[in-house]
Amino acid sequence: MIVLASVIHVIGLGAIELGVEQSLERAKRVGRHLTTFVAVVGATVLSATALHAMEAVVWAGAYLWLGALPDERSTMLYSIGAMTTFGHASLHLSDRWQMLGALEALNGMLLFGLTTAFLYATIRNVHAAVLGTPAAALEDVADMRTVHRVDPTRQSRS
């Protein structure tokens, strides 16, 4: 389940990235900087939220198929609670399935971490594209080179 949800997540983030790139290409012709920034970032956040909901549906389907919870509503509510590590006071898995709930919580933490990194990079890149500054990724590489100077003539000791 963790691998399946992670693969869905990576494919989904890739699709969102393509949408961001297409939006920025269209926005170059319009020229409204703040409107473009708000629209693209807002759509990205909404898409990422929908992606997490789809992954919760996959986990909920597994709980339903296994008979870990009695109905669709309970499985979905439990799944969202587990994925966000929020939990739910009145829903509990039987002893047999409790490890599965903990694994979903672990998976949720990993997926939210990926989403956070993706949103950070997207916001920086959209900001750079809208304001016409150098790409954020190139700035990051330049910053790393400044911090970690590499001397090509120096030999490493093993």
Side-chain angles (χ1 to χ4, degrees):
M1 287 300 302
I2 290 174
V3 172
L4 176 61
S6 298
V7 167
I8 291 169
H9 199 74
V10 170
I11 290 170
L13 291 178
I16 293 169
E17 176 65 21
L18 290 175
V20 168
E21 289 173 6
Q22 291 173 354
S23 297
L24 290 176
E25 287 298 319
R26 283 192 301 270
K28 284 180 184 176
R29 296 185 294 264
V30 177
R32 293 187 179 129
H33 300 307
L34 181 60
T35 305
T36 298
F37 181 80
V38 170
V40 171
V41 172
T44 302
V45 169
L46 182 61
S47 299
T49 303
L51 184 59
H52 282 278
M54 286 181 358
E55 292 149 0
V57 167
V58 170
W59 277 95
Y63 294 128
L64 193 61
W65 182 70
L66 293 169
L69 290 163
D71 55 46
E72 292 90 357
R73 182 183 177 282
S74 297
T75 58
M76 193 63 202
L77 186 56
Y78 182 85
S79 180
I80 290 173
M83 186 169 280
T84 60
T85 67
F86 174 71
H88 196 278
S90 65
L91 291 174
H92 302 284
L93 296 175
S94 65
D95 290 346
R96 179 178 182 179
W97 302 115
Q98 285 180 353
M99 180 62 80
L100 192 60
L103 289 173
E104 183 181 7
L106 172 64
N107 188 216
M109 289 172 42
L110 293 171
L111 298 179
F112 279 103
L114 285 172
T115 300
T116 301
F118 176 79
L119 289 174
Y120 175 78
T122 299
I123 289 169
R124 286 199 58 180
N125 290 333
V126 170
H127 185 265
V130 167
L131 296 179
T133 59
L138 295 176
E139 291 174 2
D140 290 342
V141 170
D143 289 345
M144 287 190 305
R145 286 184 181 151
T146 302
V147 173
H148 304 289
R149 295 239 183 254
V150 177
D151 183 0
T153 60
R154 186 174 174 188
Q155 300 273 333
S156 65
R157 294 182 210 175
S158 302

